[in-house]
Amino acid sequence: MATKRQKPSLQQKKEEVNRKAVLWTALSVLLLIILIVALVIIGEMTTS
């Protein structure tokens, strides 16, 4: 009878999900900042 492979622990899965969540959050904030800066620059160019 073959031995069953152990399932990965829940702690390991939770850390992986948290890492992805942090990455997505950081990326979203960065894109938001870039968008705001671009809109401010475009607004400054049109009012000059």
Side-chain angles (χ1 to χ4, degrees):
M1 193 170 171
T3 58
K4 288 187 177 179
R5 209 174 75 195
Q6 284 185 336
K7 293 180 181 176
S9 65
L10 287 176
Q11 185 66 29
Q12 185 181 1
K13 281 186 176 180
K14 191 180 281 188
E15 283 186 18
E16 186 178 327
V17 170
N18 285 344
R19 208 174 296 142
K20 285 183 182 177
V22 168
L23 180 68
W24 278 108
T25 304
L27 186 64
S28 300
V29 169
L30 185 66
L31 288 174
L32 187 64
I33 291 171
I34 291 171
L35 180 66
I36 291 170
V37 169
L39 289 174
V40 167
I41 291 171
I42 291 170
E44 289 291 323
M45 285 172 39
T46 56
T47 56
S48 296

